[in-house]
PDB file of all heavy atoms in Angstrom:
ATOM      1  N   GLY A   1       0.824  -1.216  -0.005  1.00 98.00           N
ATOM      2  CA  GLY A   1      -0.013  -0.003   0.005  1.00 98.00           C
ATOM      3  C   GLY A   1       0.854   1.266   0.009  1.00 98.00           C
ATOM      4  O   GLY A   1       2.042   1.225  -0.316  1.00 98.00           O
ATOM      5  N   VAL A   2       0.212   2.365   0.345  1.00 98.00           N
ATOM      6  CA  VAL A   2       0.897   3.650   0.394  1.00 98.00           C
ATOM      7  C   VAL A   2       0.476   4.411   1.633  1.00 98.00           C
ATOM      8  O   VAL A   2      -0.632   4.216   2.182  1.00 98.00           O
ATOM      9  CB  VAL A   2       0.631   4.516  -0.870  1.00 98.00           C
ATOM     10  CG1 VAL A   2       1.067   3.789  -2.145  1.00 98.00           C
ATOM     11  CG2 VAL A   2      -0.850   4.907  -0.954  1.00 98.00           C
ATOM     12  N   ARG A   3       1.360   5.308   2.063  1.00 98.00           N
ATOM     13  CA  ARG A   3       1.035   6.236   3.156  1.00 98.00           C
ATOM     14  C   ARG A   3       0.935   7.617   2.588  1.00 98.00           C
ATOM     15  O   ARG A   3       1.779   8.052   1.816  1.00 98.00           O
ATOM     16  CB  ARG A   3       2.100   6.171   4.245  1.00 98.00           C
ATOM     17  CG  ARG A   3       1.840   7.117   5.442  1.00 98.00           C
ATOM     18  CD  ARG A   3       2.915   7.032   6.513  1.00 98.00           C
ATOM     19  NE  ARG A   3       2.909   5.690   7.106  1.00 98.00           N
ATOM     20  CZ  ARG A   3       3.919   4.831   7.014  1.00 98.00           C
ATOM     21  NH1 ARG A   3       5.011   5.155   6.312  1.00 98.00           N
ATOM     22  NH2 ARG A   3       3.841   3.649   7.577  1.00 98.00           N
ATOM     23  N   THR A   4      -0.149   8.328   2.991  1.00 98.00           N
ATOM     24  CA  THR A   4      -0.358   9.688   2.469  1.00 98.00           C
ATOM     25  C   THR A   4      -0.557  10.669   3.610  1.00 98.00           C
ATOM     26  O   THR A   4      -0.847  10.303   4.734  1.00 98.00           O
ATOM     27  CB  THR A   4      -1.617   9.749   1.559  1.00 98.00           C
ATOM     28  OG1 THR A   4      -2.789   9.588   2.392  1.00 98.00           O
ATOM     29  CG2 THR A   4      -1.597   8.672   0.491  1.00 98.00           C
ATOM     30  N   MET A   5      -0.418  11.946   3.274  1.00 98.00           N
ATOM     31  CA  MET A   5      -0.778  13.032   4.185  1.00 98.00           C
ATOM     32  C   MET A   5      -1.655  14.023   3.421  1.00 98.00           C
ATOM     33  O   MET A   5      -1.337  14.403   2.276  1.00 98.00           O
ATOM     34  CB  MET A   5       0.457  13.763   4.716  1.00 98.00           C
ATOM     35  CG  MET A   5       0.118  14.972   5.620  1.00 98.00           C
ATOM     36  SD  MET A   5       1.572  15.843   6.252  1.00 98.00           S
ATOM     37  CE  MET A   5       2.101  14.677   7.503  1.00 98.00           C
ATOM     38  N   HIS A   6      -2.773  14.408   3.991  1.00 98.00           N
ATOM     39  CA  HIS A   6      -3.648  15.343   3.342  1.00 98.00           C
ATOM     40  C   HIS A   6      -2.939  16.681   3.168  1.00 98.00           C
ATOM     41  O   HIS A   6      -2.329  17.198   4.108  1.00 98.00           O
ATOM     42  CB  HIS A   6      -4.943  15.535   4.143  1.00 98.00           C
ATOM     43  CG  HIS A   6      -6.014  16.226   3.382  1.00 98.00           C
ATOM     44  ND1 HIS A   6      -6.097  17.622   3.285  1.00 98.00           N
ATOM     45  CD2 HIS A   6      -7.082  15.740   2.660  1.00 98.00           C
ATOM     46  CE1 HIS A   6      -7.144  17.945   2.553  1.00 98.00           C
ATOM     47  NE2 HIS A   6      -7.763  16.824   2.139  1.00 98.00           N
ATOM     48  N   ARG A   7      -3.043  17.248   1.997  1.00 98.00           N
ATOM     49  CA  ARG A   7      -2.308  18.469   1.662  1.00 98.00           C
ATOM     50  C   ARG A   7      -2.621  19.618   2.597  1.00 98.00           C
ATOM     51  O   ARG A   7      -1.760  20.425   2.945  1.00 98.00           O
ATOM     52  CB  ARG A   7      -2.632  18.872   0.234  1.00 98.00           C
ATOM     53  CG  ARG A   7      -1.927  20.157  -0.244  1.00 98.00           C
ATOM     54  CD  ARG A   7      -2.196  20.401  -1.707  1.00 98.00           C
ATOM     55  NE  ARG A   7      -3.593  20.658  -1.983  1.00 98.00           N
ATOM     56  CZ  ARG A   7      -4.152  21.888  -2.020  1.00 98.00           C
ATOM     57  NH1 ARG A   7      -3.393  22.949  -1.791  1.00 98.00           N
ATOM     58  NH2 ARG A   7      -5.428  22.050  -2.296  1.00 98.00           N
ATOM     59  N   ILE A   8      -3.884  19.716   3.029  1.00 98.00           N
ATOM     60  CA  ILE A   8      -4.306  20.866   3.826  1.00 98.00           C
ATOM     61  C   ILE A   8      -4.397  20.518   5.316  1.00 98.00           C
ATOM     62  O   ILE A   8      -3.848  21.202   6.177  1.00 98.00           O
ATOM     63  CB  ILE A   8      -5.676  21.382   3.332  1.00 98.00           C
ATOM     64  CG1 ILE A   8      -5.561  21.811   1.873  1.00 98.00           C
ATOM     65  CG2 ILE A   8      -6.185  22.517   4.215  1.00 98.00           C
ATOM     66  CD1 ILE A   8      -6.872  22.116   1.200  1.00 98.00           C
ATOM     67  N   THR A   9      -5.088  19.407   5.668  1.00 98.00           N
ATOM     68  CA  THR A   9      -5.307  19.069   7.080  1.00 98.00           C
ATOM     69  C   THR A   9      -4.116  18.355   7.715  1.00 98.00           C
ATOM     70  O   THR A   9      -4.035  18.276   8.958  1.00 98.00           O
ATOM     71  CB  THR A   9      -6.537  18.181   7.222  1.00 98.00           C
ATOM     72  OG1 THR A   9      -6.259  16.904   6.621  1.00 98.00           O
ATOM     73  CG2 THR A   9      -7.757  18.799   6.552  1.00 98.00           C
ATOM     74  N   LYS A  10      -3.228  17.827   6.894  1.00 98.00           N
ATOM     75  CA  LYS A  10      -2.066  17.032   7.341  1.00 98.00           C
ATOM     76  C   LYS A  10      -2.445  15.684   7.986  1.00 98.00           C
ATOM     77  O   LYS A  10      -1.638  15.067   8.661  1.00 98.00           O
ATOM     78  CB  LYS A  10      -1.180  17.837   8.331  1.00 98.00           C
ATOM     79  CG  LYS A  10      -0.711  19.182   7.762  1.00 98.00           C
ATOM     80  CD  LYS A  10       0.174  19.023   6.595  1.00 98.00           C
ATOM     81  CE  LYS A  10       0.769  20.285   6.010  1.00 98.00           C
ATOM     82  NZ  LYS A  10       0.608  21.551   6.568  1.00 98.00           N
ATOM     83  N   GLU A  11      -3.684  15.253   7.785  1.00 98.00           N
ATOM     84  CA  GLU A  11      -4.091  13.941   8.283  1.00 98.00           C
ATOM     85  C   GLU A  11      -3.357  12.844   7.530  1.00 98.00           C
ATOM     86  O   GLU A  11      -3.266  12.855   6.302  1.00 98.00           O
ATOM     87  CB  GLU A  11      -5.609  13.755   8.112  1.00 98.00           C
ATOM     88  CG  GLU A  11      -6.114  12.424   8.619  1.00 98.00           C
ATOM     89  CD  GLU A  11      -7.595  12.193   8.321  1.00 98.00           C
ATOM     90  OE1 GLU A  11      -8.199  13.015   7.650  1.00 98.00           O
ATOM     91  OE2 GLU A  11      -8.133  11.138   8.772  1.00 98.00           O
ATOM     92  N   VAL A  12      -2.849  11.853   8.281  1.00 98.00           N
ATOM     93  CA  VAL A  12      -2.090  10.732   7.693  1.00 98.00           C
ATOM     94  C   VAL A  12      -3.026   9.542   7.491  1.00 98.00           C
ATOM     95  O   VAL A  12      -3.816   9.215   8.395  1.00 98.00           O
ATOM     96  CB  VAL A  12      -0.908  10.352   8.575  1.00 98.00           C
ATOM     97  CG1 VAL A  12      -0.189   9.100   8.010  1.00 98.00           C
ATOM     98  CG2 VAL A  12       0.067  11.522   8.698  1.00 98.00           C
ATOM     99  N   LYS A  13      -2.930   8.909   6.337  1.00 98.00           N
ATOM    100  CA  LYS A  13      -3.727   7.731   6.069  1.00 98.00           C
ATOM    101  C   LYS A  13      -2.888   6.676   5.360  1.00 98.00           C
ATOM    102  O   LYS A  13      -1.850   6.982   4.784  1.00 98.00           O
ATOM    103  CB  LYS A  13      -4.953   8.064   5.175  1.00 98.00           C
ATOM    104  CG  LYS A  13      -6.039   8.869   5.846  1.00 98.00           C
ATOM    105  CD  LYS A  13      -7.252   9.014   4.926  1.00 98.00           C
ATOM    106  CE  LYS A  13      -8.403   9.706   5.631  1.00 98.00           C
ATOM    107  NZ  LYS A  13      -9.580   9.846   4.737  1.00 98.00           N
ATOM    108  N   GLU A  14      -3.349   5.445   5.418  1.00 98.00           N
ATOM    109  CA  GLU A  14      -2.743   4.356   4.664  1.00 98.00           C
ATOM    110  C   GLU A  14      -3.814   3.682   3.801  1.00 98.00           C
ATOM    111  O   GLU A  14      -4.967   3.524   4.224  1.00 98.00           O
ATOM    112  CB  GLU A  14      -2.093   3.337   5.579  1.00 98.00           C
ATOM    113  CG  GLU A  14      -0.843   3.885   6.275  1.00 98.00           C
ATOM    114  CD  GLU A  14      -0.173   2.835   7.174  1.00 98.00           C
ATOM    115  OE1 GLU A  14      -0.704   1.712   7.282  1.00 98.00           O
ATOM    116  OE2 GLU A  14       0.879   3.142   7.754  1.00 98.00           O
ATOM    117  N   TYR A  15      -3.410   3.369   2.564  1.00 98.00           N
ATOM    118  CA  TYR A  15      -4.301   2.680   1.642  1.00 98.00           C
ATOM    119  C   TYR A  15      -3.578   1.432   1.144  1.00 98.00           C
ATOM    120  O   TYR A  15      -2.363   1.434   1.005  1.00 98.00           O
ATOM    121  CB  TYR A  15      -4.641   3.583   0.448  1.00 98.00           C
ATOM    122  CG  TYR A  15      -5.357   4.851   0.842  1.00 98.00           C
ATOM    123  CD1 TYR A  15      -4.641   6.049   1.069  1.00 98.00           C
ATOM    124  CD2 TYR A  15      -6.749   4.881   0.993  1.00 98.00           C
ATOM    125  CE1 TYR A  15      -5.276   7.205   1.420  1.00 98.00           C
ATOM    126  CE2 TYR A  15      -7.407   6.066   1.345  1.00 98.00           C
ATOM    127  CZ  TYR A  15      -6.651   7.227   1.567  1.00 98.00           C
ATOM    128  OH  TYR A  15      -7.312   8.385   1.920  1.00 98.00           O
ATOM    129  N   TYR A  16      -4.358   0.400   0.855  1.00 98.00           N
ATOM    130  CA  TYR A  16      -3.768  -0.905   0.517  1.00 98.00           C
ATOM    131  C   TYR A  16      -4.268  -1.398  -0.839  1.00 98.00           C
ATOM    132  O   TYR A  16      -5.403  -1.120  -1.239  1.00 98.00           O
ATOM    133  CB  TYR A  16      -4.110  -1.914   1.629  1.00 98.00           C
ATOM    134  CG  TYR A  16      -3.616  -1.476   2.961  1.00 98.00           C
ATOM    135  CD1 TYR A  16      -4.418  -0.700   3.782  1.00 98.00           C
ATOM    136  CD2 TYR A  16      -2.318  -1.780   3.397  1.00 98.00           C
ATOM    137  CE1 TYR A  16      -3.952  -0.255   5.024  1.00 98.00           C
ATOM    138  CE2 TYR A  16      -1.860  -1.344   4.614  1.00 98.00           C
ATOM    139  CZ  TYR A  16      -2.670  -0.581   5.432  1.00 98.00           C
ATOM    140  OH  TYR A  16      -2.214  -0.125   6.638  1.00 98.00           O
ATOM    141  N   ALA A  17      -3.406  -2.105  -1.566  1.00 98.00           N
ATOM    142  CA  ALA A  17      -3.767  -2.646  -2.849  1.00 98.00           C
ATOM    143  C   ALA A  17      -2.849  -3.759  -3.261  1.00 98.00           C
ATOM    144  O   ALA A  17      -1.748  -3.920  -2.697  1.00 98.00           O
ATOM    145  CB  ALA A  17      -3.745  -1.538  -3.901  1.00 98.00           C
ATOM    146  N   ARG A  18      -3.276  -4.515  -4.224  1.00 97.00           N
ATOM    147  CA  ARG A  18      -2.488  -5.646  -4.719  1.00 97.00           C
ATOM    148  C   ARG A  18      -1.415  -5.211  -5.737  1.00 97.00           C
ATOM    149  O   ARG A  18      -0.352  -5.847  -5.834  1.00 97.00           O
ATOM    150  CB  ARG A  18      -3.392  -6.710  -5.328  1.00 97.00           C
ATOM    151  CG  ARG A  18      -4.372  -7.293  -4.301  1.00 97.00           C
ATOM    152  CD  ARG A  18      -5.662  -7.779  -4.937  1.00 97.00           C
ATOM    153  NE  ARG A  18      -5.467  -8.979  -5.739  1.00 97.00           N
ATOM    154  CZ  ARG A  18      -6.447  -9.523  -6.485  1.00 97.00           C
ATOM    155  NH1 ARG A  18      -7.640  -8.965  -6.543  1.00 97.00           N
ATOM    156  NH2 ARG A  18      -6.195 -10.619  -7.205  1.00 97.00           N
ATOM    157  N   ILE A  19      -1.732  -4.218  -6.532  1.00 98.00           N
ATOM    158  CA  ILE A  19      -0.739  -3.674  -7.428  1.00 98.00           C
ATOM    159  C   ILE A  19      -0.734  -2.135  -7.328  1.00 98.00           C
ATOM    160  O   ILE A  19      -1.755  -1.525  -7.027  1.00 98.00           O
ATOM    161  CB  ILE A  19      -0.960  -4.089  -8.916  1.00 98.00           C
ATOM    162  CG1 ILE A  19      -2.376  -3.704  -9.386  1.00 98.00           C
ATOM    163  CG2 ILE A  19      -0.702  -5.549  -9.111  1.00 98.00           C
ATOM    164  CD1 ILE A  19      -2.600  -4.010 -10.849  1.00 98.00           C
ATOM    165  N   ILE A  20       0.414  -1.551  -7.568  1.00 98.00           N
ATOM    166  CA  ILE A  20       0.603  -0.107  -7.430  1.00 98.00           C
ATOM    167  C   ILE A  20       1.293   0.435  -8.683  1.00 98.00           C
ATOM    168  O   ILE A  20       2.348  -0.088  -9.095  1.00 98.00           O
ATOM    169  CB  ILE A  20       1.444   0.249  -6.180  1.00 98.00           C
ATOM    170  CG1 ILE A  20       0.729  -0.264  -4.909  1.00 98.00           C
ATOM    171  CG2 ILE A  20       1.716   1.745  -6.106  1.00 98.00           C
ATOM    172  CD1 ILE A  20       1.587  -0.164  -3.669  1.00 98.00           C
ATOM    173  N   PHE A  21       0.689   1.441  -9.285  1.00 99.00           N
ATOM    174  CA  PHE A  21       1.302   2.152 -10.414  1.00 99.00           C
ATOM    175  C   PHE A  21       1.769   3.514  -9.932  1.00 99.00           C
ATOM    176  O   PHE A  21       0.980   4.291  -9.343  1.00 99.00           O
ATOM    177  CB  PHE A  21       0.321   2.297 -11.569  1.00 99.00           C
ATOM    178  CG  PHE A  21       0.327   1.151 -12.531  1.00 99.00           C
ATOM    179  CD1 PHE A  21      -0.204  -0.072 -12.144  1.00 99.00           C
ATOM    180  CD2 PHE A  21       0.898   1.267 -13.784  1.00 99.00           C
ATOM    181  CE1 PHE A  21      -0.174  -1.162 -13.022  1.00 99.00           C
ATOM    182  CE2 PHE A  21       0.933   0.203 -14.649  1.00 99.00           C
ATOM    183  CZ  PHE A  21       0.411  -1.035 -14.288  1.00 99.00           C
ATOM    184  N   VAL A  22       3.053   3.791 -10.154  1.00 98.00           N
ATOM    185  CA  VAL A  22       3.646   5.065  -9.700  1.00 98.00           C
ATOM    186  C   VAL A  22       3.762   5.950 -10.947  1.00 98.00           C
ATOM    187  O   VAL A  22       4.586   5.719 -11.836  1.00 98.00           O
ATOM    188  CB  VAL A  22       5.008   4.860  -9.049  1.00 98.00           C
ATOM    189  CG1 VAL A  22       5.447   6.156  -8.344  1.00 98.00           C
ATOM    190  CG2 VAL A  22       4.960   3.704  -8.057  1.00 98.00           C
ATOM    191  N   ASN A  23       2.917   6.992 -10.980  1.00 98.00           N
ATOM    192  CA  ASN A  23       2.840   7.920 -12.138  1.00 98.00           C
ATOM    193  C   ASN A  23       2.764   9.348 -11.644  1.00 98.00           C
ATOM    194  O   ASN A  23       1.953  10.137 -12.055  1.00 98.00           O
ATOM    195  CB  ASN A  23       1.596   7.579 -12.981  1.00 98.00           C
ATOM    196  CG  ASN A  23       1.599   6.169 -13.519  1.00 98.00           C
ATOM    197  OD1 ASN A  23       1.099   5.243 -12.870  1.00 98.00           O
ATOM    198  ND2 ASN A  23       2.170   5.968 -14.683  1.00 98.00           N
ATOM    199  N   ALA A  24       3.697   9.682 -10.754  1.00 98.00           N
ATOM    200  CA  ALA A  24       3.660  10.966 -10.082  1.00 98.00           C
ATOM    201  C   ALA A  24       4.371  12.058 -10.852  1.00 98.00           C
ATOM    202  O   ALA A  24       4.453  13.195 -10.362  1.00 98.00           O
ATOM    203  CB  ALA A  24       4.270  10.818  -8.675  1.00 98.00           C
ATOM    204  N   SER A  25       4.869  11.767 -12.034  1.00 98.00           N
ATOM    205  CA  SER A  25       5.746  12.571 -12.909  1.00 98.00           C
ATOM    206  C   SER A  25       7.184  12.232 -12.528  1.00 98.00           C
ATOM    207  O   SER A  25       7.470  11.851 -11.366  1.00 98.00           O
ATOM    208  CB  SER A  25       5.497  14.083 -12.844  1.00 98.00           C
ATOM    209  OG  SER A  25       6.111  14.679 -11.734  1.00 98.00           O
ATOM    210  N   ALA A  26       8.087  12.354 -13.480  1.00 98.00           N
ATOM    211  CA  ALA A  26       9.412  11.714 -13.382  1.00 98.00           C
ATOM    212  C   ALA A  26      10.128  11.958 -12.077  1.00 98.00           C
ATOM    213  O   ALA A  26      10.516  11.003 -11.379  1.00 98.00           O
ATOM    214  CB  ALA A  26      10.280  12.151 -14.559  1.00 98.00           C
ATOM    215  N   LEU A  27      10.305  13.215 -11.696  1.00 98.00           N
ATOM    216  CA  LEU A  27      11.127  13.469 -10.506  1.00 98.00           C
ATOM    217  C   LEU A  27      10.365  13.137  -9.223  1.00 98.00           C
ATOM    218  O   LEU A  27      10.968  12.689  -8.238  1.00 98.00           O
ATOM    219  CB  LEU A  27      11.607  14.932 -10.501  1.00 98.00           C
ATOM    220  CG  LEU A  27      12.552  15.329 -11.633  1.00 98.00           C
ATOM    221  CD1 LEU A  27      13.234  16.658 -11.322  1.00 98.00           C
ATOM    222  CD2 LEU A  27      13.602  14.251 -11.936  1.00 98.00           C
ATOM    223  N   ASN A  28       9.052  13.397  -9.200  1.00 98.00           N
ATOM    224  CA  ASN A  28       8.304  13.018  -7.991  1.00 98.00           C
ATOM    225  C   ASN A  28       8.209  11.510  -7.833  1.00 98.00           C
ATOM    226  O   ASN A  28       8.188  11.002  -6.701  1.00 98.00           O
ATOM    227  CB  ASN A  28       6.904  13.609  -8.055  1.00 98.00           C
ATOM    228  CG  ASN A  28       6.819  15.008  -7.428  1.00 98.00           C
ATOM    229  OD1 ASN A  28       7.391  15.212  -6.353  1.00 98.00           O
ATOM    230  ND2 ASN A  28       6.176  15.917  -8.089  1.00 98.00           N
ATOM    231  N   THR A  29       8.187  10.755  -8.935  1.00 98.00           N
ATOM    232  CA  THR A  29       8.240   9.311  -8.835  1.00 98.00           C
ATOM    233  C   THR A  29       9.560   8.886  -8.210  1.00 98.00           C
ATOM    234  O   THR A  29       9.598   8.000  -7.328  1.00 98.00           O
ATOM    235  CB  THR A  29       8.019   8.672 -10.207  1.00 98.00           C
ATOM    236  OG1 THR A  29       6.653   8.826 -10.578  1.00 98.00           O
ATOM    237  CG2 THR A  29       8.362   7.190 -10.211  1.00 98.00           C
ATOM    238  N   ASN A  30      10.665   9.479  -8.659  1.00 98.00           N
ATOM    239  CA  ASN A  30      11.959   9.195  -8.018  1.00 98.00           C
ATOM    240  C   ASN A  30      11.931   9.530  -6.543  1.00 98.00           C
ATOM    241  O   ASN A  30      12.417   8.756  -5.703  1.00 98.00           O
ATOM    242  CB  ASN A  30      13.063  10.016  -8.715  1.00 98.00           C
ATOM    243  CG  ASN A  30      13.592   9.350  -9.985  1.00 98.00           C
ATOM    244  OD1 ASN A  30      14.500   8.544  -9.943  1.00 98.00           O
ATOM    245  ND2 ASN A  30      12.996   9.701 -11.123  1.00 98.00           N
ATOM    246  N   LEU A  31      11.356  10.673  -6.200  1.00 98.00           N
ATOM    247  CA  LEU A  31      11.282  11.098  -4.813  1.00 98.00           C
ATOM    248  C   LEU A  31      10.544  10.103  -3.933  1.00 98.00           C
ATOM    249  O   LEU A  31      10.994   9.703  -2.874  1.00 98.00           O
ATOM    250  CB  LEU A  31      10.645  12.479  -4.733  1.00 98.00           C
ATOM    251  CG  LEU A  31      10.645  13.254  -3.422  1.00 98.00           C
ATOM    252  CD1 LEU A  31      10.435  14.749  -3.674  1.00 98.00           C
ATOM    253  CD2 LEU A  31       9.587  12.779  -2.442  1.00 98.00           C
ATOM    254  N   ILE A  32       9.353   9.680  -4.420  1.00 98.00           N
ATOM    255  CA  ILE A  32       8.538   8.733  -3.642  1.00 98.00           C
ATOM    256  C   ILE A  32       9.284   7.412  -3.448  1.00 98.00           C
ATOM    257  O   ILE A  32       9.289   6.863  -2.329  1.00 98.00           O
ATOM    258  CB  ILE A  32       7.201   8.508  -4.344  1.00 98.00           C
ATOM    259  CG1 ILE A  32       6.337   9.768  -4.254  1.00 98.00           C
ATOM    260  CG2 ILE A  32       6.448   7.305  -3.732  1.00 98.00           C
ATOM    261  CD1 ILE A  32       5.109   9.753  -5.140  1.00 98.00           C
ATOM    262  N   LEU A  33       9.891   6.893  -4.490  1.00 98.00           N
ATOM    263  CA  LEU A  33      10.610   5.605  -4.372  1.00 98.00           C
ATOM    264  C   LEU A  33      11.821   5.745  -3.468  1.00 98.00           C
ATOM    265  O   LEU A  33      12.116   4.844  -2.663  1.00 98.00           O
ATOM    266  CB  LEU A  33      11.009   5.107  -5.739  1.00 98.00           C
ATOM    267  CG  LEU A  33       9.862   4.677  -6.661  1.00 98.00           C
ATOM    268  CD1 LEU A  33      10.396   4.339  -8.060  1.00 98.00           C
ATOM    269  CD2 LEU A  33       9.100   3.498  -6.087  1.00 98.00           C
ATOM    270  N   LEU A  34      12.541   6.849  -3.568  1.00 98.00           N
ATOM    271  CA  LEU A  34      13.702   7.078  -2.692  1.00 98.00           C
ATOM    272  C   LEU A  34      13.280   7.163  -1.236  1.00 98.00           C
ATOM    273  O   LEU A  34      14.004   6.756  -0.314  1.00 98.00           O
ATOM    274  CB  LEU A  34      14.421   8.346  -3.101  1.00 98.00           C
ATOM    275  CG  LEU A  34      15.284   8.260  -4.369  1.00 98.00           C
ATOM    276  CD1 LEU A  34      15.651   9.663  -4.841  1.00 98.00           C
ATOM    277  CD2 LEU A  34      16.563   7.459  -4.108  1.00 98.00           C
ATOM    278  N   ASN A  35      12.066   7.684  -0.994  1.00 98.00           N
ATOM    279  CA  ASN A  35      11.604   7.845   0.388  1.00 98.00           C
ATOM    280  C   ASN A  35      10.880   6.631   0.911  1.00 98.00           C
ATOM    281  O   ASN A  35      10.455   6.588   2.046  1.00 98.00           O
ATOM    282  CB  ASN A  35      10.681   9.075   0.467  1.00 98.00           C
ATOM    283  CG  ASN A  35      10.512   9.593   1.885  1.00 98.00           C
ATOM    284  OD1 ASN A  35      11.488   9.763   2.614  1.00 98.00           O
ATOM    285  ND2 ASN A  35       9.286   9.867   2.290  1.00 98.00           N
TER     286      ASN A  35
END
């Protein structure tokens, strides 16, 4: 799954899935994978 933070409220959530596509745009995809 993935861990997210709401852009405005800063609430943290987790979502789960069997497959994940990372399409955040080139440098943000690198950033997410590095983190």
Side-chain angles (χ1 to χ4, degrees):
V2 300
R3 180 179 296 115
T4 70
M5 177 180 284
H6 193 276
R7 180 175 64 92
I8 299 170
T9 68
K10 303 297 183 4
E11 180 185 6
V12 176
K13 288 187 176 181
E14 290 182 357
Y15 300 94
Y16 301 90
R18 297 153 70 186
I19 55 176
I20 299 170
F21 271 72
V22 192
N23 300 90
S25 81
L27 297 195
N28 270 316
T29 288
N30 277 273
L31 189 159
I32 290 168
L33 293 174
L34 285 165
N35 199 47

